[in-house]
Amino acid sequence: MSNFPTPLQGEFNLQLAFDNILHSISSHPPHLRKPDILPHLQKFLVHPDIHALLREGDTLSTPLASSPSAELQEICTTLKTLTQAVASIQKALPSPNNATHTKVQQPSKSLSKNFSAIAGAKPSTHSIVVDLAHWNLPENDYPLVETICKNINNDLTTSSHSAVCLIAAKWTAKGNLILTGNASISLNVLLSAANHIATIIGAWFTKTTPKARANIKWSKILINGVSTSKSQSWEPYNPDECHQALLITPPTHPSQ
């Protein structure tokens, strides 16, 4: 007996028939669908009436092809709108050659020049060197630089050199003492108080008054080509011997 419901006499429900067919296909065992159903489906599709309906459906659906064209037209319109918007934004932004951009960059150049001017205009300080290396003071006996400046400045204020004021002190590797004066003090004024400052320092250590001189930075000259006579059987010259070798045989110029 068929599983299809029996319609009333003279009545045919097409929707119900297709629903029943689809229901039967879904209820059929999956591994048997292809061998049992596919032949009937192929026969159904090649039936003249069904084939004609399918061809007629293709003809009717042809005018609907305008839908993708409409979507394409909408996309083109959107792209055009976006292009115009981007062009407007780019037009509003300053270009690399725009005068506004130049004005923005100008302050940084001016700022750089201002810093250079400030650095160039910074007043230089002067200093003196008090020769203490020959005393061979242990580093543990070095007074603190803060104490040195404070004590010397206290003494200077009650002397004829009250215009002199020290702002820094430094011990060198050799054991000498470098004293730096205020930026408003010239080297001549600082040197005028050098002997007085040296006397103060000598009294601290109960030693003779040391010598004080201007702290002048010396430049060094490197001379290549001076023989040191070093070999496997001979030690290199000492500084005095190198000096004599330089006097006897001056090095030749590289271009000669």
Side-chain angles (χ1 to χ4, degrees):
M1 180 178 295
S2 175
N3 292 328
F4 292 110
T6 305
L8 298 176
Q9 187 68 23
E11 180 182 358
F12 178 70
N13 190 324
L14 185 61
Q15 179 66 45
L16 182 60
F18 275 104
D19 289 343
N20 288 329
I21 292 174
L22 293 175
H23 176 73
S24 298
I25 292 174
S26 300
S27 302
H28 204 69
H31 65 284
L32 297 176
R33 288 176 185 175
K34 184 173 182 180
D36 293 348
I37 298 173
L38 185 58
H40 298 289
L41 182 59
Q42 292 174 339
K43 183 178 179 181
F44 177 81
L45 292 175
V46 297
H47 190 278
D49 294 337
I50 302 301
H51 188 65
L53 287 174
L54 292 176
R55 294 193 55 173
E56 184 178 349
D58 291 340
T59 304
L60 293 175
S61 63
T62 301
L64 298 178
S66 59
S67 178
S69 299
E71 293 180 359
L72 180 60
Q73 182 64 33
E74 183 178 356
I75 293 173
C76 291
T77 303
T78 303
L79 290 176
K80 183 177 180 181
T81 303
L82 289 175
T83 302
Q84 293 175 349
V86 172
S88 299
I89 295 173
Q90 290 178 342
K91 186 177 180 181
L93 291 176
S95 64
N97 297 325
N98 196 309
T100 304
H101 182 73
T102 303
K103 291 181 180 179
V104 173
Q105 296 295 331
Q106 188 63 29
S108 63
K109 295 180 180 179
S110 300
L111 189 60
S112 177
K113 292 180 180 179
N114 289 339
F115 277 123
S116 299
I118 293 172
K122 182 180 179 181
S124 58
T125 56
H126 301 284
S127 57
I128 59 174
V129 178
V130 182
D131 294 326
L132 305 178
H134 62 283
W135 287 357
N136 296 320
L137 295 174
E139 291 189 12
N140 294 335
D141 293 341
Y142 288 175
L144 296 177
V145 292
E146 296 83 356
T147 303
I148 294 173
C149 289
K150 180 180 179 181
N151 292 342
I152 293 178
N153 285 334
N154 290 339
D155 190 284
L156 290 173
T157 55
T158 59
S159 70
S160 59
H161 305 285
S162 58
V164 177
C165 178
L166 301 181
I167 60 172
K170 177 182 177 181
W171 289 97
T172 68
K174 292 183 178 181
N176 292 325
L177 185 62
I178 299 178
L179 302 174
T180 304
N182 191 292
S184 61
I185 302 173
S186 67
L187 179 59
N188 290 334
V189 173
L190 183 60
L191 286 175
S192 66
N195 290 333
H196 183 79
I197 294 173
T199 302
I200 297 173
I201 296 175
W204 288 350
F205 295 96
T206 62
K207 295 179 179 289
T208 58
T209 301
K211 294 182 179 180
R213 52 184 169 82
N215 183 25
I216 300 175
K217 295 183 179 179
W218 296 94
S219 300
K220 294 182 179 180
I221 300 176
L222 178 64
I223 302 177
N224 296 317
V226 179
S227 175
T228 63
S229 189
K230 178 177 173 56
S231 65
Q232 293 181 352
S233 60
W234 192 269
E235 292 296 324
Y237 287 161
N238 58 39
D240 291 336
E241 291 171 333
C242 287
H243 186 219
Q244 291 299 322
L246 175 62
L247 295 177
I248 295 173
T249 309
T252 59
H253 193 275
S255 60
Q256 295 179 351

